[in-house]
């Protein structure tokens, strides 16, 4: 007599995941948000660039351009205004579709300029408030450079503006964020995996052995053990195995393709990340300052490589978007 196969859950893997973790849509596409009903949403220059090329967003771009023409005198000023308006208009539209918060990213080209990052963040929040959106529903997204983290510290402590620190690949970046009372961090899973596949002999990993999964688990456990209020949002996934292995993380931001795979799956999920497990971990407290941060980032080739690459790529997409908007503005003027 054969053994009965284990019963699959009647609830989809996505439905189960929502019982453990806040699910965030990693997309600028409004239809995806309507379909999968995430709590929060996050965008970046790459996602907005992709959405800006779609015909369904034509009216949003036209509105951004009109506002820019009315507020800038030179093409350069109008282009910057159009970029800012487009980012906030996307965020405002997204907030009409979700109950939670949207992450709005500061231009990656400001990643090493603390004061300019602070000024841009404050400008975004004022634009949101003018549109009737309270600042509590917006997370300002900054790269996890030392300057970005210090900008977030000022925004959080002096302006009550909540921040999401992105392009995060190491425990030292995470600790610096937590020590600065940042609201949320986005450690990247898939990009850590990419680096290990490209730079080591091992080309595939079981989900719980995935170096990106292990990095986020370690950060989550450290934060819970030492009672930091900063929450962890795993990001940049390559497959649903990574997502399932991080069930229980405070938040997970997931692309439309992987949201669909999770919706179609009904494999049972295990809650791997818990406050109890974090507190029981044997992690030791690490003291951080600027010198230690910079040294440890220098020593961690993966984190250093991926942070630099991420900033370059986001900056390149910002320039592409800028070029598109400049061409449109030249036709209007």
């Amino acid at each position: 007599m054969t053994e009965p196969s284990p019963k699959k859950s009647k609830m989809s893997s996505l439905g189960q995941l929502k019982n453990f973790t806040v699910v965030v849509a990693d997309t600028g596409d409004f239809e995806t948000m309507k379909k999968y009903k995430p709590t929060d949403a996050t965008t970046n220059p790459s996602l907005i660039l992709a959405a800006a090329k779609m015909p369904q967003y034509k009216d949003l771009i036209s509105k951004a351009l009109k506002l820019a023409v009315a507020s800038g005198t030179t093409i350069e000023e109008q282009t910057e205004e159009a970029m800012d308006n487009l980012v906030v208009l996307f965020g405002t539209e997204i907030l009409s579709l979700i109950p939670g918060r949207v992450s709005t990213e500061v231009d990656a080209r400001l990643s090493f300029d603390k004061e300019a990052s602070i000024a841009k963040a404050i400008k975004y929040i004022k634009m949101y408030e003018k549109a009737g959106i309270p600042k509590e529903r917006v997370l300002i997204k900054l790269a996890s450079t030392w300057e970005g983290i210090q900008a977030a510290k000022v925004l959080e402590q002096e302006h009550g503006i909540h921040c999401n620190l992105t392009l995060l690949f190491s425990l030292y970046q995470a600790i610096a964020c937590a020590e600065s009372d940042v609201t949320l961090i986005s450690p990247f899973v898939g990009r850590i995996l990419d680096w290990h596949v490209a730079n080591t002999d091992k080309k595939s990993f079981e989900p719980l052995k995935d170096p990106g999964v292990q990095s986020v688990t370690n950060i989550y456990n450290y934060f819970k053990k030492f009672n930091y209020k900063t929450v962890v949002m795993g990001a940049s996934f390559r497959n649903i195995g990574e997502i399932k292995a991080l069930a229980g993380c405070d938040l997970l931001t997931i692309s439309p393709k992987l949201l669909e795979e999770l919706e179609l799956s009904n494999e049972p999920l295990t809650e791997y990340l818990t406050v109890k497990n974090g507190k029981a971990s044997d992690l030791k407290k690490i003291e951080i300052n600027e010198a230690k941060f910079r040294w440890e980032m220098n020593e961690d080739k993966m984190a250093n490589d991926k942070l630099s690459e991420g900033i370059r790529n986001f900056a390149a997409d910002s320039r592409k978007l800028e070029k598109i908007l400049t061409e449109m503005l030249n036709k209007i003027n």
Side-chain angles (χ1 to χ4, degrees), residues 53-220:
K53 295 176 180 176
M54 298 177 190
Q56 60 264 45
Y57 302 109
K58 185 179 176 182
D59 290 346
L60 215 58
I61 293 167
S62 295
K63 187 175 180 181
L65 294 171
K66 285 178 185 176
L67 289 167
V69 168
S71 57
T73 52
T74 67
I75 284 291
E76 291 77 15
E77 288 174 354
Q78 289 177 1
T79 299
E80 183 177 354
E81 288 298 319
M83 291 274 285
D84 291 345
N85 282 314
L86 191 58
V87 164
V88 173
L89 285 169
F90 259 94
T92 302
E93 191 71 24
I94 287 167
L95 287 171
S96 72
L97 302 173
I98 61 171
R101 302 172 297 190
V102 70
S103 288
T104 294
E105 189 146 355
V106 167
D107 193 317
R109 290 171 288 183
L110 302 180
S111 295
F112 302 100
D113 191 330
K114 173 186 168 185
E115 297 305 325
S117 294
I118 291 169
K120 184 67 78 174
I122 290 171
K123 180 182 180 183
Y124 283 163
I125 292 298
K126 286 180 178 176
M127 291 170 75
Y128 272 114
E129 288 178 337
K130 190 175 180 182
I133 306 292
K135 65 183 178 182
E136 287 74 22
R137 294 199 69 197
V138 180
L139 289 169
I140 294 296
K141 209 169 175 186
L142 297 154
S144 299
T145 57
W146 181 258
E147 294 81 5
I149 296 167
Q150 298 315 301
K153 184 175 184 178
V154 171
L155 290 167
E156 294 272 6
Q157 295 181 3
E158 297 181 20
H159 300 277
I161 293 173
H162 301 308
C163 298
N164 170 358
L165 272 289
T166 188
L167 294 175
L168 194 148
F169 303 96
S170 85
L171 180 61
Y172 294 93
Q173 286 174 294
I175 294 169
C177 291
E179 292 286 349
S180 297
D181 292 328
V182 167
T183 296
L184 179 149
I185 61 168
S186 297
F188 280 31
V189 178
R191 295 193 197 189
I192 293 178
L193 172 65
D194 294 346
W195 189 92
H196 282 270
V197 168
N199 292 279
T200 70
D201 294 334
K202 195 165 175 61
K203 303 304 176 187
S204 64
F205 297 84
E206 292 298 315
L208 292 175
K209 300 291 185 182
D210 183 302
V213 169
Q214 291 183 334
S215 176
V216 174
T217 300
N218 196 40
I219 290 167
Y220 175 92

Side-chain angles (χ1 to χ4, degrees), residues 279-297:
K279 289 194 177 298
S281 65
D282 59 359
L283 295 166
K284 306 299 181 193
K285 194 81 158 52
I286 296 171
E287 299 301 324
I288 199 88
N289 56 35
E290 182 178 355
K292 186 168 181 63
F293 176 92
R294 294 193 186 280
W295 176 254
E296 294 296 343
M297 288 299 292

